[in-house]
Each structure stands twice: as structure tokens, then as C-alpha cells.
Amino acid sequence: MASALNDLIGYNLKRAYMVVQADFRETLGKGGLTARVFSALTLVVEQPGITQSDLARALRIERSGLVAIVDELEEKKLLKRVSVPGNRRVQPLRPTAAGKKVFRSVLQTVRGHEDRLFSVLAPEEQVQLLTLLKKFRQGTEKD
Amino acid sequence: MASALNDLIGYNLKRAYMVVQADFRETLGKGGLTARVFSALTLVVEQPGITQSDLARALRIERSGLVAIVDELEEKKLLKRVSVPGNRRVQPLRPTAAGKKVFRSVLQTVRGHEDRLFSVLAPEEQVQLLTLLKKFRQGTEKD
DNA sequence: TATTGTTATACTCTATAACTATA
DNA sequence: TATAGTTATAGAGTATAACAATA
């Protein structure tokens, strides 16, 4: 049935996001990393020593919300809050060896999930979609 | 800074969705309809007499979650739960005159929000994005 | 004065399970 | 037996406000 909703990009974006989110969870399985925890681990591995404030800014979430995520990653021994001589305010985040290993493994799983899920689009279409989303983000996200 | 996250469609989808969601709220303002309430009102106006079960299916949310949405719309006098002689189990949803009026008005506001927000993409790009999202949904949403 | 990390708190959205009344 | 609407409940995810320690 035709609906005005179908012509709204926002609504289609939401529905598409729900599909991806659900499949991500299903793929990572019970006890697996959630999307937001995975994204935090990714940046910590890529930018070892990043502070929580900078990580929150990069992920576009509040510092307060990041605490639980970092707690979870630290409990799982995937990263450490380290102390810096001379600056007792920051506690840069450093991935453990296990953290780096888990990241590489989970990244492959996530890529598999994306490849499978987005296979309903042709390869050029996948690139198009990615490009359009990036351009939209670049033009609209504040800062 | 380059990150593996930037190459994941899902992550970009999430970030784009967050931007749209935030702007939707800001545009509709305090006390305005939320996105999900607007989507429900839309279908009730377009398909007067739709049941809650069918509406939940169409919106891809649980029946239980729809109750609060319908409650809100009924409190705002934008729709009515009507009774059907001969079937006391269903209570089809019918938009009120105010509901139809508000819908038309809000739809224009929402279109304005989308036009403004997505103006960072060229018109052809907007169509492309919409088309790709629809195709993805069609290929992946269950049923 | 401003910033980092943190806690407390609340709100939105969604889902699961179970109930009731009906069909 | 199955379905429509509902309630209760919980779990993600996010945000705001405030605070202590530190810069």
C-alpha cells in the first residue's frame, strides 16, 4: 500500500537502520559486542591512548554515556584505563593484546554481516549508498 | 581521522539516522508529534479503519508498543478507537477531522524539514538515496 | 575558570511474556 | 485454538545536570 511515509528519506532510513541493527545483534550473538561497544573498541584500537572525552566526541555520544561502554570493555579485558604521569585528570584508553585480537576478529564478522545483508544491492549500489550517507553526514553533523 | 567505521554502511546509516532524528524533533518542537507518532497518524489517515494489529505490522513494531502511541493520538483527539457491531474484539482506528487537518499540516512541516536537511545532497542524489534505501528494505525486511 | 571522568536520573524506543475477552 | 488489544516489565541507547578532582 502506498503511503506518504515511503517518500520520506528519514522514514526509510529508520527502517533500514532497524534491519541492520537487528542483523548486527543476531550476527554477533548473545554475549557478543553490541554495535556501540564495537565502535568504541574500534577507535581505541585505531587510536591507542585516546581519552574518553575525545572518544565521545568522535562517536558523537555524551561522555556520560561512554562510561558504561568503557567499563564493559575494561571488564572484558579488551582495554585498560591507564594513568599518565604529570596529568592525573585523563586516563587514556589503551587496547590490550586481547582487545586488538578480538577487534580484528569481530571486524571480520561485522564485514561478513554487512556483505551478506547488503548483497541485495549490487556492488556499485553499495558504494553509492555509502558515498551518499557519508556526504550527508559531512554536510549535516555539527562541528 | 580514517577509521574502519567509515567504511561500514551500518555505522554511517546509524549516524545519518541520528542526525535526521534530532532534526525531526527540533523541527516539530516541544509538544509536537514524535516521528513514530507521526508515522502512526499517517497510516491511520491513509487507511481509516485500520486495526492496531495491522498498523503494528505495517510500521514493523510490536502491538504492545503501539498502545501508547494510539493512546497519545486519542488523547490529542486526532483519532478514535471505534467499535464494530458484530465484532467486539477489534477497535478500528479512525482519524478525526482534527486528525486529518493536523496530519496535512505536520506532513508539510516534515517535508520542509527533509527538504532543508537533505539539501546538502543534490536532487538526483536525494532520489538515489531514497531508491537505494527502499530497495534495501524490500530485499531484507521479513514477511 | 575550564575540563575530565563520573554518578544520578530520566526519557525514548523497542521487545517479551502473559493476561482478557473475544472469535 | 487463535487473535486483538492490553499490561507489566525489562533492556538498550541517549541526554541533562551536577559533582569532585584536576588542569
PDB file of all heavy atoms in Angstrom, chain C residues 1 3-12 15 17:
ATOM      1  P    DT C   1      35.518  34.442  36.067  1.00  0.00           P
ATOM      2  OP1  DT C   1      34.830  34.435  37.222  1.00  0.00           O
ATOM      3  OP2  DT C   1      35.746  35.544  35.387  1.00  0.00           O
ATOM      4  O5'  DT C   1      35.878  33.220  35.274  1.00  0.00           O
ATOM      5  C5'  DT C   1      36.595  32.121  35.931  1.00  0.00           C
ATOM      6  C4'  DT C   1      37.113  31.330  34.796  1.00  0.00           C
ATOM      7  O4'  DT C   1      38.153  30.465  35.240  1.00  0.00           O
ATOM      8  C3'  DT C   1      36.040  30.428  34.167  1.00  0.00           C
ATOM      9  O3'  DT C   1      36.292  30.361  32.775  1.00  0.00           O
ATOM     10  C2'  DT C   1      36.257  29.106  34.865  1.00  0.00           C
ATOM     11  C1'  DT C   1      37.773  29.112  35.073  1.00  0.00           C
ATOM     12  N1   DT C   1      38.201  28.371  36.289  1.00  0.00           N
ATOM     13  C2   DT C   1      39.143  27.377  36.127  1.00  0.00           C
ATOM     14  O2   DT C   1      39.631  27.108  35.050  1.00  0.00           O
ATOM     15  N3   DT C   1      39.506  26.752  37.287  1.00  0.00           N
ATOM     16  C4   DT C   1      39.036  27.002  38.560  1.00  0.00           C
ATOM     17  O4   DT C   1      39.455  26.363  39.516  1.00  0.00           O
ATOM     18  C5   DT C   1      38.053  28.045  38.658  1.00  0.00           C
ATOM     19  C7   DT C   1      37.465  28.420  39.987  1.00  0.00           C
ATOM     20  C6   DT C   1      37.677  28.675  37.533  1.00  0.00           C
ATOM     21  P    DT C   3      36.664  24.135  28.332  1.00  0.00           P
ATOM     22  OP1  DT C   3      37.163  24.166  26.946  1.00  0.00           O
ATOM     23  OP2  DT C   3      35.216  24.200  28.614  1.00  0.00           O
ATOM     24  O5'  DT C   3      37.251  22.826  29.022  1.00  0.00           O
ATOM     25  C5'  DT C   3      38.656  22.643  29.057  1.00  0.00           C
ATOM     26  C4'  DT C   3      38.962  21.319  29.702  1.00  0.00           C
ATOM     27  O4'  DT C   3      38.672  21.398  31.114  1.00  0.00           O
ATOM     28  C3'  DT C   3      38.126  20.143  29.164  1.00  0.00           C
ATOM     29  O3'  DT C   3      39.017  19.059  28.941  1.00  0.00           O
ATOM     30  C2'  DT C   3      37.134  19.865  30.282  1.00  0.00           C
ATOM     31  C1'  DT C   3      37.948  20.255  31.507  1.00  0.00           C
ATOM     32  N1   DT C   3      37.166  20.647  32.706  1.00  0.00           N
ATOM     33  C2   DT C   3      37.517  20.101  33.921  1.00  0.00           C
ATOM     34  O2   DT C   3      38.430  19.305  34.051  1.00  0.00           O
ATOM     35  N3   DT C   3      36.760  20.530  34.974  1.00  0.00           N
ATOM     36  C4   DT C   3      35.706  21.425  34.952  1.00  0.00           C
ATOM     37  O4   DT C   3      35.111  21.733  35.967  1.00  0.00           O
ATOM     38  C5   DT C   3      35.391  21.952  33.638  1.00  0.00           C
ATOM     39  C7   DT C   3      34.264  22.930  33.486  1.00  0.00           C
ATOM     40  C6   DT C   3      36.132  21.544  32.595  1.00  0.00           C
ATOM     41  P    DT C   4      38.560  17.690  28.294  1.00  0.00           P
ATOM     42  OP1  DT C   4      39.557  17.291  27.300  1.00  0.00           O
ATOM     43  OP2  DT C   4      37.138  17.841  27.930  1.00  0.00           O
ATOM     44  O5'  DT C   4      38.631  16.703  29.543  1.00  0.00           O
ATOM     45  C5'  DT C   4      39.880  16.359  30.106  1.00  0.00           C
ATOM     46  C4'  DT C   4      39.663  15.273  31.132  1.00  0.00           C
ATOM     47  O4'  DT C   4      38.959  15.853  32.255  1.00  0.00           O
ATOM     48  C3'  DT C   4      38.801  14.109  30.625  1.00  0.00           C
ATOM     49  O3'  DT C   4      39.487  12.888  30.803  1.00  0.00           O
ATOM     50  C2'  DT C   4      37.510  14.190  31.436  1.00  0.00           C
ATOM     51  C1'  DT C   4      37.918  15.001  32.666  1.00  0.00           C
ATOM     52  N1   DT C   4      36.841  15.897  33.218  1.00  0.00           N
ATOM     53  C2   DT C   4      36.613  15.912  34.578  1.00  0.00           C
ATOM     54  O2   DT C   4      37.226  15.221  35.361  1.00  0.00           O
ATOM     55  N3   DT C   4      35.634  16.780  34.978  1.00  0.00           N
ATOM     56  C4   DT C   4      34.872  17.606  34.183  1.00  0.00           C
ATOM     57  O4   DT C   4      34.028  18.341  34.674  1.00  0.00           O
ATOM     58  C5   DT C   4      35.158  17.537  32.778  1.00  0.00           C
ATOM     59  C7   DT C   4      34.369  18.398  31.816  1.00  0.00           C
ATOM     60  C6   DT C   4      36.119  16.696  32.358  1.00  0.00           C
ATOM     61  P    DG C   5      38.928  11.538  30.147  1.00  0.00           P
ATOM     62  OP1  DG C   5      40.066  10.633  29.885  1.00  0.00           O
ATOM     63  OP2  DG C   5      38.019  11.916  29.050  1.00  0.00           O
ATOM     64  O5'  DG C   5      38.071  10.959  31.348  1.00  0.00           O
ATOM     65  C5'  DG C   5      38.742  10.639  32.559  1.00  0.00           C
ATOM     66  C4'  DG C   5      37.745  10.504  33.688  1.00  0.00           C
ATOM     67  O4'  DG C   5      37.018  11.743  33.834  1.00  0.00           O
ATOM     68  C3'  DG C   5      36.685   9.409  33.486  1.00  0.00           C
ATOM     69  O3'  DG C   5      36.833   8.457  34.529  1.00  0.00           O
ATOM     70  C2'  DG C   5      35.356  10.163  33.558  1.00  0.00           C
ATOM     71  C1'  DG C   5      35.719  11.434  34.303  1.00  0.00           C
ATOM     72  N9   DG C   5      34.850  12.568  34.025  1.00  0.00           N
ATOM     73  C8   DG C   5      34.584  13.138  32.816  1.00  0.00           C
ATOM     74  N7   DG C   5      33.759  14.161  32.887  1.00  0.00           N
ATOM     75  C5   DG C   5      33.467  14.260  34.239  1.00  0.00           C
ATOM     76  C6   DG C   5      32.627  15.178  34.933  1.00  0.00           C
ATOM     77  O6   DG C   5      31.962  16.103  34.468  1.00  0.00           O
ATOM     78  N1   DG C   5      32.623  14.925  36.303  1.00  0.00           N
ATOM     79  C2   DG C   5      33.336  13.919  36.920  1.00  0.00           C
ATOM     80  N2   DG C   5      33.218  13.817  38.242  1.00  0.00           N
ATOM     81  N3   DG C   5      34.126  13.062  36.291  1.00  0.00           N
ATOM     82  C4   DG C   5      34.136  13.287  34.952  1.00  0.00           C
ATOM     83  P    DT C   6      35.918   7.131  34.562  1.00  0.00           P
ATOM     84  OP1  DT C   6      36.601   6.115  35.386  1.00  0.00           O
ATOM     85  OP2  DT C   6      35.494   6.821  33.179  1.00  0.00           O
ATOM     86  O5'  DT C   6      34.637   7.637  35.367  1.00  0.00           O
ATOM     87  C5'  DT C   6      34.818   8.091  36.705  1.00  0.00           C
ATOM     88  C4'  DT C   6      33.548   8.677  37.253  1.00  0.00           C
ATOM     89  O4'  DT C   6      33.190   9.864  36.509  1.00  0.00           O
ATOM     90  C3'  DT C   6      32.316   7.772  37.147  1.00  0.00           C
ATOM     91  O3'  DT C   6      32.190   7.108  38.390  1.00  0.00           O
ATOM     92  C2'  DT C   6      31.163   8.755  36.903  1.00  0.00           C
ATOM     93  C1'  DT C   6      31.839  10.121  36.810  1.00  0.00           C
ATOM     94  N1   DT C   6      31.318  11.031  35.764  1.00  0.00           N
ATOM     95  C2   DT C   6      30.460  12.034  36.131  1.00  0.00           C
ATOM     96  O2   DT C   6      30.093  12.202  37.286  1.00  0.00           O
ATOM     97  N3   DT C   6      30.042  12.850  35.111  1.00  0.00           N
ATOM     98  C4   DT C   6      30.396  12.752  33.775  1.00  0.00           C
ATOM     99  O4   DT C   6      29.962  13.549  32.951  1.00  0.00           O
ATOM    100  C5   DT C   6      31.291  11.677  33.447  1.00  0.00           C
ATOM    101  C7   DT C   6      31.736  11.480  32.035  1.00  0.00           C
ATOM    102  C6   DT C   6      31.702  10.877  34.456  1.00  0.00           C
ATOM    103  P    DT C   7      31.068   6.005  38.568  1.00  0.00           P
ATOM    104  OP1  DT C   7      31.468   5.159  39.706  1.00  0.00           O
ATOM    105  OP2  DT C   7      30.741   5.406  37.266  1.00  0.00           O
ATOM    106  O5'  DT C   7      29.816   6.882  39.024  1.00  0.00           O
ATOM    107  C5'  DT C   7      29.832   7.519  40.290  1.00  0.00           C
ATOM    108  C4'  DT C   7      28.560   8.316  40.476  1.00  0.00           C
ATOM    109  O4'  DT C   7      28.464   9.304  39.431  1.00  0.00           O
ATOM    110  C3'  DT C   7      27.268   7.489  40.416  1.00  0.00           C
ATOM    111  O3'  DT C   7      26.554   7.689  41.625  1.00  0.00           O
ATOM    112  C2'  DT C   7      26.518   8.041  39.197  1.00  0.00           C
ATOM    113  C1'  DT C   7      27.118   9.427  39.022  1.00  0.00           C
ATOM    114  N1   DT C   7      27.153   9.930  37.627  1.00  0.00           N
ATOM    115  C2   DT C   7      26.519  11.117  37.339  1.00  0.00           C
ATOM    116  O2   DT C   7      25.912  11.767  38.159  1.00  0.00           O
ATOM    117  N3   DT C   7      26.630  11.516  36.018  1.00  0.00           N
ATOM    118  C4   DT C   7      27.286  10.872  34.999  1.00  0.00           C
ATOM    119  O4   DT C   7      27.306  11.327  33.871  1.00  0.00           O
ATOM    120  C5   DT C   7      27.930   9.635  35.383  1.00  0.00           C
ATOM    121  C7   DT C   7      28.660   8.854  34.351  1.00  0.00           C
ATOM    122  C6   DT C   7      27.836   9.229  36.649  1.00  0.00           C
ATOM    123  P    DA C   8      25.301   6.782  42.003  1.00  0.00           P
ATOM    124  OP1  DA C   8      25.351   6.506  43.441  1.00  0.00           O
ATOM    125  OP2  DA C   8      25.184   5.664  41.041  1.00  0.00           O
ATOM    126  O5'  DA C   8      24.116   7.803  41.717  1.00  0.00           O
ATOM    127  C5'  DA C   8      24.311   9.190  41.898  1.00  0.00           C
ATOM    128  C4'  DA C   8      23.091   9.934  41.379  1.00  0.00           C
ATOM    129  O4'  DA C   8      23.366  10.415  40.041  1.00  0.00           O
ATOM    130  C3'  DA C   8      21.821   9.083  41.266  1.00  0.00           C
ATOM    131  O3'  DA C   8      20.714   9.846  41.754  1.00  0.00           O
ATOM    132  C2'  DA C   8      21.713   8.775  39.783  1.00  0.00           C
ATOM    133  C1'  DA C   8      22.311  10.031  39.183  1.00  0.00           C
ATOM    134  N9   DA C   8      22.877   9.853  37.838  1.00  0.00           N
ATOM    135  C8   DA C   8      23.652   8.824  37.386  1.00  0.00           C
ATOM    136  N7   DA C   8      24.022   8.938  36.123  1.00  0.00           N
ATOM    137  C5   DA C   8      23.433  10.131  35.727  1.00  0.00           C
ATOM    138  C6   DA C   8      23.445  10.825  34.501  1.00  0.00           C
ATOM    139  N6   DA C   8      24.084  10.387  33.415  1.00  0.00           N
ATOM    140  N1   DA C   8      22.759  11.990  34.431  1.00  0.00           N
ATOM    141  C2   DA C   8      22.120  12.416  35.516  1.00  0.00           C
ATOM    142  N3   DA C   8      22.041  11.855  36.721  1.00  0.00           N
ATOM    143  C4   DA C   8      22.730  10.707  36.760  1.00  0.00           C
ATOM    144  P    DT C   9      19.274   9.211  41.973  1.00  0.00           P
ATOM    145  OP1  DT C   9      18.648   9.837  43.127  1.00  0.00           O
ATOM    146  OP2  DT C   9      19.407   7.732  41.866  1.00  0.00           O
ATOM    147  O5'  DT C   9      18.505   9.714  40.672  1.00  0.00           O
ATOM    148  C5'  DT C   9      18.681  11.059  40.242  1.00  0.00           C
ATOM    149  C4'  DT C   9      18.130  11.213  38.845  1.00  0.00           C
ATOM    150  O4'  DT C   9      19.128  10.851  37.874  1.00  0.00           O
ATOM    151  C3'  DT C   9      16.911  10.324  38.554  1.00  0.00           C
ATOM    152  O3'  DT C   9      15.763  11.157  38.418  1.00  0.00           O
ATOM    153  C2'  DT C   9      17.266   9.604  37.252  1.00  0.00           C
ATOM    154  C1'  DT C   9      18.435  10.412  36.722  1.00  0.00           C
ATOM    155  N1   DT C   9      19.376   9.642  35.864  1.00  0.00           N
ATOM    156  C2   DT C   9      19.668  10.123  34.617  1.00  0.00           C
ATOM    157  O2   DT C   9      19.206  11.163  34.192  1.00  0.00           O
ATOM    158  N3   DT C   9      20.552   9.354  33.876  1.00  0.00           N
ATOM    159  C4   DT C   9      21.133   8.172  34.277  1.00  0.00           C
ATOM    160  O4   DT C   9      21.897   7.583  33.524  1.00  0.00           O
ATOM    161  C5   DT C   9      20.782   7.708  35.598  1.00  0.00           C
ATOM    162  C7   DT C   9      21.364   6.429  36.116  1.00  0.00           C
ATOM    163  C6   DT C   9      19.927   8.457  36.318  1.00  0.00           C
ATOM    164  P    DA C  10      14.275  10.553  38.290  1.00  0.00           P
ATOM    165  OP1  DA C  10      13.378  11.334  39.149  1.00  0.00           O
ATOM    166  OP2  DA C  10      14.352   9.080  38.438  1.00  0.00           O
ATOM    167  O5'  DA C  10      13.965  10.886  36.773  1.00  0.00           O
ATOM    168  C5'  DA C  10      14.526  12.063  36.188  1.00  0.00           C
ATOM    169  C4'  DA C  10      14.395  11.993  34.686  1.00  0.00           C
ATOM    170  O4'  DA C  10      15.531  11.280  34.124  1.00  0.00           O
ATOM    171  C3'  DA C  10      13.150  11.228  34.217  1.00  0.00           C
ATOM    172  O3'  DA C  10      12.561  11.954  33.170  1.00  0.00           O
ATOM    173  C2'  DA C  10      13.705   9.895  33.731  1.00  0.00           C
ATOM    174  C1'  DA C  10      15.054  10.339  33.194  1.00  0.00           C
ATOM    175  N9   DA C  10      16.043   9.271  33.077  1.00  0.00           N
ATOM    176  C8   DA C  10      16.327   8.295  33.985  1.00  0.00           C
ATOM    177  N7   DA C  10      17.274   7.467  33.599  1.00  0.00           N
ATOM    178  C5   DA C  10      17.629   7.934  32.350  1.00  0.00           C
ATOM    179  C6   DA C  10      18.582   7.492  31.416  1.00  0.00           C
ATOM    180  N6   DA C  10      19.374   6.438  31.601  1.00  0.00           N
ATOM    181  N1   DA C  10      18.677   8.189  30.252  1.00  0.00           N
ATOM    182  C2   DA C  10      17.878   9.234  30.057  1.00  0.00           C
ATOM    183  N3   DA C  10      16.958   9.744  30.870  1.00  0.00           N
ATOM    184  C4   DA C  10      16.880   9.043  32.011  1.00  0.00           C
ATOM    185  P    DC C  11      11.019  11.750  32.783  1.00  0.00           P
ATOM    186  OP1  DC C  11      10.225  12.842  33.377  1.00  0.00           O
ATOM    187  OP2  DC C  11      10.673  10.344  33.096  1.00  0.00           O
ATOM    188  O5'  DC C  11      11.031  11.931  31.202  1.00  0.00           O
ATOM    189  C5'  DC C  11      12.141  12.545  30.555  1.00  0.00           C
ATOM    190  C4'  DC C  11      12.474  11.843  29.253  1.00  0.00           C
ATOM    191  O4'  DC C  11      13.504  10.845  29.479  1.00  0.00           O
ATOM    192  C3'  DC C  11      11.282  11.098  28.633  1.00  0.00           C
ATOM    193  O3'  DC C  11      11.146  11.524  27.289  1.00  0.00           O
ATOM    194  C2'  DC C  11      11.666   9.631  28.745  1.00  0.00           C
ATOM    195  C1'  DC C  11      13.190   9.702  28.713  1.00  0.00           C
ATOM    196  N1   DC C  11      13.902   8.530  29.313  1.00  0.00           N
ATOM    197  C2   DC C  11      14.946   7.928  28.591  1.00  0.00           C
ATOM    198  O2   DC C  11      15.248   8.381  27.479  1.00  0.00           O
ATOM    199  N3   DC C  11      15.598   6.865  29.128  1.00  0.00           N
ATOM    200  C4   DC C  11      15.244   6.403  30.329  1.00  0.00           C
ATOM    201  N4   DC C  11      15.917   5.349  30.810  1.00  0.00           N
ATOM    202  C5   DC C  11      14.181   7.001  31.083  1.00  0.00           C
ATOM    203  C6   DC C  11      13.536   8.065  30.538  1.00  0.00           C
ATOM    204  P    DT C  12       9.795  11.195  26.470  1.00  0.00           P
ATOM    205  OP1  DT C  12       9.341  12.473  25.876  1.00  0.00           O
ATOM    206  OP2  DT C  12       8.870  10.393  27.289  1.00  0.00           O
ATOM    207  O5'  DT C  12      10.357  10.277  25.316  1.00  0.00           O
ATOM    208  C5'  DT C  12      11.515  10.707  24.605  1.00  0.00           C
ATOM    209  C4'  DT C  12      12.078   9.549  23.829  1.00  0.00           C
ATOM    210  O4'  DT C  12      12.753   8.620  24.698  1.00  0.00           O
ATOM    211  C3'  DT C  12      11.010   8.742  23.073  1.00  0.00           C
ATOM    212  O3'  DT C  12      11.360   8.752  21.707  1.00  0.00           O
ATOM    213  C2'  DT C  12      11.090   7.352  23.704  1.00  0.00           C
ATOM    214  C1'  DT C  12      12.507   7.317  24.236  1.00  0.00           C
ATOM    215  N1   DT C  12      12.806   6.394  25.366  1.00  0.00           N
ATOM    216  C2   DT C  12      13.818   5.468  25.231  1.00  0.00           C
ATOM    217  O2   DT C  12      14.478   5.353  24.213  1.00  0.00           O
ATOM    218  N3   DT C  12      14.032   4.673  26.323  1.00  0.00           N
ATOM    219  C4   DT C  12      13.334   4.706  27.522  1.00  0.00           C
ATOM    220  O4   DT C  12      13.613   3.937  28.426  1.00  0.00           O
ATOM    221  C5   DT C  12      12.285   5.699  27.599  1.00  0.00           C
ATOM    222  C7   DT C  12      11.482   5.804  28.854  1.00  0.00           C
ATOM    223  C6   DT C  12      12.069   6.485  26.536  1.00  0.00           C
ATOM    224  P    DA C  15      11.028  -4.169  18.036  1.00  0.00           P
ATOM    225  OP1  DA C  15      11.659  -4.822  16.897  1.00  0.00           O
ATOM    226  OP2  DA C  15       9.611  -3.749  17.963  1.00  0.00           O
ATOM    227  O5'  DA C  15      11.190  -5.083  19.330  1.00  0.00           O
ATOM    228  C5'  DA C  15      12.480  -5.319  19.877  1.00  0.00           C
ATOM    229  C4'  DA C  15      12.362  -6.283  21.048  1.00  0.00           C
ATOM    230  O4'  DA C  15      11.901  -5.570  22.213  1.00  0.00           O
ATOM    231  C3'  DA C  15      11.360  -7.411  20.790  1.00  0.00           C
ATOM    232  O3'  DA C  15      11.976  -8.669  21.023  1.00  0.00           O
ATOM    233  C2'  DA C  15      10.222  -7.148  21.758  1.00  0.00           C
ATOM    234  C1'  DA C  15      10.845  -6.263  22.823  1.00  0.00           C
ATOM    235  N9   DA C  15       9.901  -5.263  23.331  1.00  0.00           N
ATOM    236  C8   DA C  15       9.214  -4.331  22.604  1.00  0.00           C
ATOM    237  N7   DA C  15       8.441  -3.568  23.324  1.00  0.00           N
ATOM    238  C5   DA C  15       8.610  -4.029  24.619  1.00  0.00           C
ATOM    239  C6   DA C  15       8.065  -3.645  25.852  1.00  0.00           C
ATOM    240  N6   DA C  15       7.182  -2.662  25.973  1.00  0.00           N
ATOM    241  N1   DA C  15       8.458  -4.318  26.946  1.00  0.00           N
ATOM    242  C2   DA C  15       9.350  -5.312  26.809  1.00  0.00           C
ATOM    243  N3   DA C  15       9.941  -5.771  25.706  1.00  0.00           N
ATOM    244  C4   DA C  15       9.521  -5.070  24.639  1.00  0.00           C
ATOM    245  P    DA C  17       9.585 -14.564  25.269  1.00  0.00           P
ATOM    246  OP1  DA C  17      10.556 -15.601  25.636  1.00  0.00           O
ATOM    247  OP2  DA C  17       8.828 -14.654  24.012  1.00  0.00           O
ATOM    248  O5'  DA C  17       8.541 -14.374  26.474  1.00  0.00           O
ATOM    249  C5'  DA C  17       8.938 -13.635  27.611  1.00  0.00           C
ATOM    250  C4'  DA C  17       7.770 -13.533  28.561  1.00  0.00           C
ATOM    251  O4'  DA C  17       7.053 -12.297  28.325  1.00  0.00           O
ATOM    252  C3'  DA C  17       6.741 -14.654  28.421  1.00  0.00           C
ATOM    253  O3'  DA C  17       6.343 -15.080  29.711  1.00  0.00           O
ATOM    254  C2'  DA C  17       5.603 -14.009  27.630  1.00  0.00           C
ATOM    255  C1'  DA C  17       5.682 -12.569  28.133  1.00  0.00           C
ATOM    256  N9   DA C  17       5.164 -11.571  27.197  1.00  0.00           N
ATOM    257  C8   DA C  17       5.312 -11.545  25.836  1.00  0.00           C
ATOM    258  N7   DA C  17       4.726 -10.513  25.261  1.00  0.00           N
ATOM    259  C5   DA C  17       4.176  -9.815  26.325  1.00  0.00           C
ATOM    260  C6   DA C  17       3.427  -8.617  26.377  1.00  0.00           C
ATOM    261  N6   DA C  17       3.099  -7.902  25.310  1.00  0.00           N
ATOM    262  N1   DA C  17       3.031  -8.204  27.603  1.00  0.00           N
ATOM    263  C2   DA C  17       3.360  -8.931  28.679  1.00  0.00           C
ATOM    264  N3   DA C  17       4.056 -10.064  28.753  1.00  0.00           N
ATOM    265  C4   DA C  17       4.434 -10.451  27.516  1.00  0.00           C
TER     266       DA C  17
END
